[in-house]
Amino acid sequence: MEPVVTAIRQVPLEHYVALSFILFSIGLTGALFRRNTIIILMCLELMFNSVNLLLTAFSAHHSDPGGQVFVFFTMLVAAAEVTVGLAILVMMKRNVDSVDINQLNRLKG
Amino acid sequence: MNTTILAALVPGLPLLGAIVIAALRRSLKGNSAGLLGTLAIGSAFALSVMLFLGHDPAAGPYTAHLFNWIDIGGMHIPFAFQVDALSLTMMLIVTGVGTLIHLYSIGYMHDDARVSTFFALLNLFTFAMLLLVMGANYAITFIGWEGVGLCSYLLIGFWYTNPAYNYAARKAFVMNRIGDLGFVLGLAWLFNVTGSLTFTEVFDRVAGLGPDVLTGITLLLFVGAIGKSAQLPLFTWLPDAMAGPTPVSALIHAATMVTAGIYLIVRSSVLFELAPFTQDVVLYTGLVTALVAATIGVFQNDIKKVLAYSTVSQLGYMFVALGLGAYSAGMFHVTTHAFFKALLFLGAGSVIHALGGEQDIRRMGGLKGAIKVTHLTFLLGTLAIAGIPPFSGFFSKDAILANAFDRSPVLYALLLGGALITTFYMFRLYFLTFWGAYRGDKHPHESPAVMTVPLLVLAVLSVVGGLLNLPHVFGGHEPMKHFLAHAADGIGAERLHLEASTEWMLMGLSTALVVLVIALAHGRFAKKATLDPEADELPFLPRLLARKWYLDELYERLFEKPYGWLSTMFHRVGEGWVMVPLMNGAGRLTQRAGQVLRLAQTGNMSFYLFAMVAGIVVFLLMTLYGR
Amino acid sequence: MQYLFYLFAAISVLSGLFVVTARNPVNSVIALIVCFLSIAGHYILLNAQFLAMVQVIVYTGAIMVLFLFVIMLLNLNNSTEPQKTLLTRIAAVVAGGVFLLTLLAATRQGVEIAAANPADASVGLVSHVGMALFKDFLLPFEVSSVLFLSAMVGALMLGKKEKVAA
Amino acid sequence: MSALILTSVLGVVLLYLGLSGNKSILAPTAIVGLVAAGVMSWTGWNPGLMEFPTMLKFDQMSTLFNCAMIAVTVLLFLFGIDYYRRMEENVAEHYALMVFSLTGALILTSYTNLLMLFLGIEILSIPLYILAGGKKRSYRSSEASFKYFLLGSFATAFFLMGIALIYGVTASFDLAVIGQKVQAAPNNVLFLLGAFFVSIALSFKVGAVPFHFWSPDVYEGAPTLVTAFMATVVKTAAFAGFYRFLQMTAMPPALSDTLLVITILTLFLGNVVAMRQSQFKRLMAYSSIAHTGFLLMAVLANSAMSWSTLFYYTFTYALATVGLFIVLTLAKRAANGNEAIVIFRGLFRANPWLALVTMLLLLSLAGIPLTAGFVAKYQVFMLAIGAGFIKTAVFAVFMALVGIYYYVLVIREAFTPAEETPVLVVSPINWLVVSACGVAVVAFALWPVLVG
Amino acid sequence: MVLLALLLIPFLTALALMLARPTNTARHIALGSTIASLGLVALIWWSYVPGQTWVPVKFDWAPTLGLTFSLGYDGVSLLMLLLTALVFPFIIAAGYRQNLQHPSMVNALLLFTQSFLFGVFTAQNAFLFYIFYELSLVPVFFLLLYWGGERRRAITVRFFIYTLLGGLMLLFGLAYCVTQTAPISADFAVLHALRIPADTQVWLFWALFLAFAIKLPIFPFHSWQPDTYTMAPLQGTMVLGGVMLKMGLYGVLKFVFPIVPFGVEHWRDTVIWLSIIGALYAGIIAFRQQDLKRLVAYSSLSHVGLLCAGLFAWNVYGTGGALYQSFAHAVLVVSMLYIVGALKERTGTSELGAMGGLKGKAPRLAALFFLVMINAVALPLTQSFVGEWLMFNGLWQVDGWMAFAAVATIILGAVYMLYAYQRAMLGPDRWKMEMPDAGRNDHLYLVPLIAITLVLGLYPAPILDLVNGPVQQMLSTLTALN
């Protein structure tokens, strides 16, 4: 197992952090960028994944399984959220006949 | 009877009279109210005489302590009366002249529907006046001071349906109030430096005070005196005050209330003696007022207005006396003036009564045959005020002139000039009223006895009043001066030193000139009755005088109009444009902010997301670099 | 080995960008799947085998398919969906860029974190994760059932057609 | 712990009961179950169950919060009897979802582990996303639901990022461990970032500016009962969670400053915008934002008294809110579904007692003496001043004034005679609940000892 | 127990009125209640030992907040109790002529106010004070909202908010002070012993004072007042002007002077000048007011400016005089407003321009009006004079110019009062219709008030003795502090 450890150590932690930040920002930008709510949901998933990556990297760095367990829970929650989200989306499509985020502006003021 | 109770009864009886008459005013029919009122004052007079007789001048003032009025912290103001020479003099004048005027009023006000109210007020006035002169401290004096002002207001506006009378009443009250401003401040200052307002204590403590403080205090007190005694620049209310019934003019606006300022200064003579600057101010104010009022008097056509200006002028003389430090001379003139001016007013009232309300001398004339008693007494009064020996006015005025001469011949000359003008307009009044042909249309009739008897009594007093203070040159001992000297150290400190020959010369000069002026007046008014037209038609200088030097107009432009304007502006601009909009504006601004911020809630979710991200970025930067 | 990391990193970033920019939602889904797979690759590099597996199964296998399914269901697979205005899009990019820059700037000095435990390559193995999951994290595991239950109930409730169009 | 289990099971039971099709037993069952859970929570009854001290700790604070939240839920369910009478379908699901959400809330008050915080928040939120869309054919309801969901998920992403960063620094999710580690090495920028992100996400949950945008829209769009639930239980739980987080992981000063700015913004925006609302539910939403500002002040003061103040404030606020939403529903029915403030007009004529209680509740929200809201506000001021936030407190004073303004406007409507006096139909249970809220609001003011 | 009874008598009566809603007997019941209160206060006064602070009721309420339910009184409290108890029967009695709708509700609200006012004046705990202070607003709010005049909806809310602005600042200041105590307590005794740093006091002063500045109100915090006074029903104005503003005075004495003496020292001149400017300003404005009620509002504003200036003179004359004057002012406001009501009842208007010449028809009313008015212009031997006299002396000791400006207000007072009297009552009688003169009821109402005015003007000792002790004591502790 030793080579694995060294292999992990070869990539500095900062790079993982940076990568995670970049992915997170891409997701964030996408959420602002698009009108299609489904894409926005996907961007959110991307953000979750960037966090997962970060957690795993830290977990490996600390050699602590807790982080990975957390990632597992994140995935569960993400799955549940997606389920609910898509259900809401479907309901909304039925009512609004659109998944355009800009169409949702009856509640305001 | 105990002196304290006696002293308390003197103002107490008029008060009681006022209350009783006011309470029973609807059940009092006919003359009963008048009789009650006269009785109350008469008893007060009797008690005053008793006090006077029982008073030992050498023993100093007697203090009648009733109860503690204001007692808080270091301020102990007792409700107490002081009986001494000065207050006794004033008490006798007030109650004595007051009784006569009350009696007179029974006849004068006989037909008025509100005669009971009138007598109640008159009694109330006497009460207040007595408080003024009897108070053992400045606070009690001030109670009376304001009280007489109030009664004056009520009596001037007695015939309330006439708006002009109401205005005159209001003017009198407000001008008095302006004077009171000075009085109150003076008292506050005085209390602050001496810790007391009781006369005896104050006078003991003032010696150590600096001249600036004393000058300030006395000037403030003098402002009060100016208001009450109708001196420049606050005299314009007094002529207007003639709107009241004539007995009121006689009692309040001639004999008693207006002399309150003199009384105050005489009472405070200790202070004034220590403040020479103030004495000069008093002197010159009195001088200017005496002259200005006299000049105005020449062109007046209302019988009461002439008398009013003469009152103002005579008060000026009194102030001159006080300014010269001749307190007893001032008080002497107060006394004689009370006699002859009351007499003149009552006489004028009798004339007005006789003519059914006519007051314009241009519509009189030739009355000496129709109303003989009135004529006679009026003549005596006129002679007294003109200063013909041996009438009382001669002695009192001469005392003042002598004192003035002692100070400066110029002063003497000016005052003598004023006296001559006085003689001129008084005789103009007299001749136009009683001589020549009758120019009116009503049938004149003599007044009832209830009115003429007081006239006669006053006439006698006007004639013999000079005896009260007969000077040495006539073999007298100036009894009044010596009597008063016991009241306060200041009064005793007079310093007139004239040769007897100089005095004789001065008297001769003034008498001669007066006689000359009378002759002039006789020629001008007795035979042909030269009548002045309305003021507007006069040439400039007489018009200026007839229009009272345009002082009323000046005050109106300078104070009344701007005040009304200020009131409107404060309300419109201060409240309407600033205060209320400020308050509403704060609310409206908040609402506007709410309205604007509300727009942020667009309902658009992209915007929400964007705002969240923007917020996060900003706060992130703040967190990282904000500290 | 680290070259693999950079390779995967490049793939995930590029595919991530493609997710955002692709006009057709289906393309976005495909790109996202690629991205997730590359992240799974990272997991393997980090020796987190269990997570890599779950990543592939749950995300790419279940979640993304669900997305695809919904897109098809709602008939959104056209590439002509309306776009935001240019200004909004620039603003979005700027916001995201600033956010990223701030984060990077904050961590520029490097993240000096002492490892909490001695290096142990076996933490990511299924057995280790399982032990942690069922020992230390038993309660969350149980509690998450409530979460699933409610998500399930909710999805059913919302997805179910109304009985009558009353 | 037993209460937690009971509520979880209760949800399932309710779902099963829903299958039976008998609507009328749902609420009573739920209420009985909740009362039992409340009793368990209060007594700490825990027969042989495992304890997970690294995950959940039931201390005095959580016990009180839990009982309060359960009590408020019971009140809401009592109201639900009447509220759901007209609804044909999914009633059981509504009750169950609310119970599940409550479970999440219970976790939030007592967690000691970030994972539990995360799960708690999700369990709290996900049922709400669904409940907000409870009126399935309503456009507004769908919109509210979706907005809530999307923004909520967005916040969750930040939340996770924050947890990941904190974990990166401390290698643990346990708050106690984190606290120790941070004290050993303060000023770590990653930890600061992590704490910042978590705080932001929690600010979102409590509805702090500028992360509040969801709340007015969702409050308006969601069914009234759900709105009431969100404004009360959810807010309470979120604050309890927030407080625990900041309390147990010593907050960096830089973060405290930022949160103070957020507090000020929240106070300002919430109050000022509420002034301009004509819809009662939106008004309540903005006023809830405003109250968030006050509560944040208490949280930031970070003293030993903070939690009791938070508890007192949130509980009494919840009582007042529940009562008001019930009154709103009644008035709304009389006004044919209109939700504007004007519908309160003539309330005093129609039902004096109800108007009086409404006044009490509004006065409590406004913070006028002899109502609990006053005591609460006073405590917050004391905390803020004690923590040295003098200027913020002065600002809060002004904002409280603005707050009073819009509540008073509602009171004024209620006591202004209407041209046509509305006909209110008040069921006995609703009457009881509203009265209970009104009485409680005064009682808690008269005996503040009762709660803290 | 007596104090508890004092609070409970009006409170329970009000509650009973509200629940039973008798229409015909409501006023009688309310009147009875207020007279009972008056009797009780008289009893307290009778047994009072001068110079004492007496705290008979005290128990813990909420120790964590520093709140104790402690009631008690010293001379100043007693004075305030006395004036509240004395004025309220008249306020209730004014209702007999007003004939407002729903008399039981009106009277209940008034009685609630009275109860809370008693609470304010007996509270020995700052927090308790605050509670009563704010509560007293609530019944007034409804009184104004239901029975007010034009634009009542907007003005009522504005009044409420403006007053609460001060109230909340006070709460803040209170909270600040309480946090400085250990163990936490808001008892006045504890707060008065606080030693707050001088520079803190400088700003804390405004936190504590603002509420009272608005309540009184002094310039420039007065903008709510004229509208509110004018719009409010007569009885409401009586409550506001007669009693409620005295809470401000009392509050200054209880909160500001003892807790932030350095602050007072720092701001004293500012406050006095503001007050005097306000007094002059309002006095000038009052001159041209057309509406008699608004004129009374501005005149009250002017009087109150003087009151506040005297209070802040901070010596026994100024402060004592202000307290004495507050009593006089209460009597004055009630009687003055009654006259306003009586005139409106007869002429159907309160516009001065529309009146005039009423004295011919109603001479007795005119006489009563006049007697009331001489109190307003502070003529000697009326109550007002004693108060103003003391205040002038107090102000003089601070600064001669202050005294000068203050005395100038009495000139303005004379100007607008006499002008108003003249416009309303004097002049030619131009009323065609028959008009009742002041009758038995008017006499029953006004004569006692006027008698109080005159008697206490002639013999002010009973009230001054009440005030003297506490004020001197307070001042001596303050001097010791400096």
Side-chain angles (χ1 to χ4, degrees), chain A residues 17 20-21 24 27-28 31-32 37 40-41 44 47-48 50-52 54-55 58-62 64-70 73-74 77 80-82 84-86 88-89 91-92 94-96 101 103-109, chain D residues 113-115 118-119 122 126 129-130 133 135-147 149-150 152-154 156-158 160-161 163-165 167-173 190 193 197 216-218 220-221 273 277 282 286:
Chain A
V17 174
S20 167
F21 283 167
F24 193 85
L28 184 144
L32 301 180
T37 41
I40 293 175
L41 278 182
L44 286 174
M47 288 162 84
F48 288 160
S50 75
V51 175
N52 285 351
L54 188 59
L55 273 169
F58 280 135
S59 165
H61 177 74
H62 290 301
D64 174 51
Q68 301 195 14
V69 174
F70 200 103
F73 279 104
T74 314
V77 170
E81 254 188 37
V82 164
V84 171
L86 289 175
I88 293 173
L89 202 93
M91 175 184 72
M92 197 184 81
R94 271 210 298 267
N95 281 326
V96 187
I101 195 168
Q103 295 289 317
L104 287 173
N105 54 6
R106 280 207 194 171
L107 298 168
K108 64 180 171 190
Chain D
N113 191 300
L114 290 179
L115 180 53
F118 176 57
L119 283 177
E122 290 304 317
I126 287 181
Y129 300 152
I130 301 155
K135 287 186 198 164
K136 278 167 63 184
R137 268 166 318 198
S138 154
Y139 186 113
R140 286 168 176 263
S141 187
S142 312
E143 182 178 333
S145 165
F146 190 73
K147 276 180 172 166
F149 163 73
L150 193 63
S153 304
F154 199 62
T156 303
F158 285 95
L160 282 171
M161 179 53 103
I163 290 179
L165 290 170
Y167 173 73
V169 178
T170 60
S172 172
F173 298 108
L190 276 190
L193 281 176
F197 282 130
D217 292 359
V218 175
E220 189 189 343
V273 179
Q277 297 303 320
R282 283 193 95 78
Y286 282 106

Side-chain angles (χ1 to χ4, degrees), chain D residues 411-431:
Chain D
I411 296 178
R412 191 178 72 177
E413 287 301 335
F415 283 85
T416 304
E419 285 156 19
E420 206 175 323
T421 304
V423 183
L424 291 187
V425 183
V426 189
S427 75
I429 292 180
N430 282 348
W431 185 88

Side-chain angles (χ1 to χ4, degrees), chain D residues 228-383:
Chain D
F229 187 76
M230 279 197 287
T232 56
V233 174
V234 175
K235 199 176 204 75
T236 309
F239 264 106
F242 205 165
Y243 172 75
R244 268 187 113 88
F245 174 74
L246 291 178
Q247 187 70 18
M248 300 182 95
T249 59
M251 177 174 33
L255 183 59
S256 167
D257 286 1
T258 304
L259 288 176
L260 205 57
V261 174
I262 290 182
T263 308
I264 291 170
L265 286 178
T266 310
L267 281 169
F268 183 68
L269 189 126
N271 281 305
V272 162
V273 179
M275 280 176 97
R276 301 299 302 170
Q277 297 303 320
S278 54
Q279 300 289 316
F280 186 70
K281 271 163 98 175
R282 283 193 95 78
L283 176 88
M284 288 302 285
Y286 282 106
S287 98
S288 130
I289 294 171
H291 285 286
T292 296
F294 284 104
L295 286 163
L296 273 177
M297 249 179 6
V299 170
L300 290 182
N302 214 355
S303 91
M305 249 183 79
S306 280
W307 74 261
S308 61
T309 304
L310 272 182
F311 167 70
Y312 186 82
Y313 199 123
T314 49
F315 186 39
T316 53
Y317 167 77
L319 287 174
T321 310
V322 167
L324 282 175
F325 274 117
I326 296 175
V327 176
L328 168 75
T329 311
L330 300 175
K332 179 180 159 184
R333 283 181 192 159
N336 300 324
N338 188 353
E339 286 180 353
I341 296 170
V342 216
I343 61 171
F344 285 102
R345 186 170 286 194
L347 188 61
F348 183 63
R349 279 279 163 74
N351 193 331
W353 171 247
L354 209 59
L356 203 69
V357 172
T358 309
M359 181 188 83
L360 284 177
L361 298 174
L362 284 165
L363 286 182
S364 175
L365 290 183
I368 304 293
L370 280 200
T371 59
F374 164 71
V375 178
K377 234 165 226 164
Y378 174 76
Q379 281 179 310
V380 168
F381 282 140
M382 289 235 295
L383 279 180

Side-chain angles (χ1 to χ4, degrees), chain B residues 587 590-595 597-598 600-605 607-609 611-613 615-617 619-624 626-627, chain D residues 146-147 150-151 154 158 193 196 200 204 210-213 216-217 253-254 257-258 261-262 265 268 272-273 275-277 282 286 405:
Chain B
T590 324
Q591 298 223 354
R592 188 69 53 79
Q595 191 68 45
L597 284 173
R598 200 180 161 203
Q601 196 75 22
T602 54
N604 185 333
M605 208 157 37
F607 174 76
Y608 294 174
L609 284 170
M612 266 180 78
V613 173
I616 290 170
V617 170
F619 289 127
L620 189 56
L621 287 168
M622 190 183 291
T623 311
L624 289 173
R627 239 176 137 82
Chain D
F146 190 73
K147 276 180 172 166
L150 193 63
L151 291 166
F154 199 62
F158 285 95
L193 281 176
F196 172 76
I200 291 295
F204 172 86
F211 315 112
H212 68 285
F213 286 104
D217 292 359
D257 286 1
T258 304
V261 174
I262 290 182
L265 286 178
F268 183 68
V272 162
V273 179
M275 280 176 97
R276 301 299 302 170
Q277 297 303 320
R282 283 193 95 78
Y286 282 106
Y405 174 75

Side-chain angles (χ1 to χ4, degrees), chain E residues 248-272:
Chain E
L249 215 67
Y250 182 76
V252 169
L253 225 53
K254 279 285 176 188
F255 275 86
V256 181
F257 284 177
I259 298 180
V260 287
F262 292 109
V264 177
E265 210 175 2
H266 190 264
W267 290 109
R268 180 170 71 155
D269 288 4
T270 316
V271 172
I272 294 182

Side-chain angles (χ1 to χ4, degrees), chain E residues 61-82:
Chain E
W61 186 345
T64 45
L65 310 175
L67 176 58
T68 55
F69 190 89
S70 52
L71 302 178
Y73 53 89
D74 58 2
V76 178
S77 313
L78 192 51
L79 172 70
M80 295 295 170
L81 288 181
L82 205 58

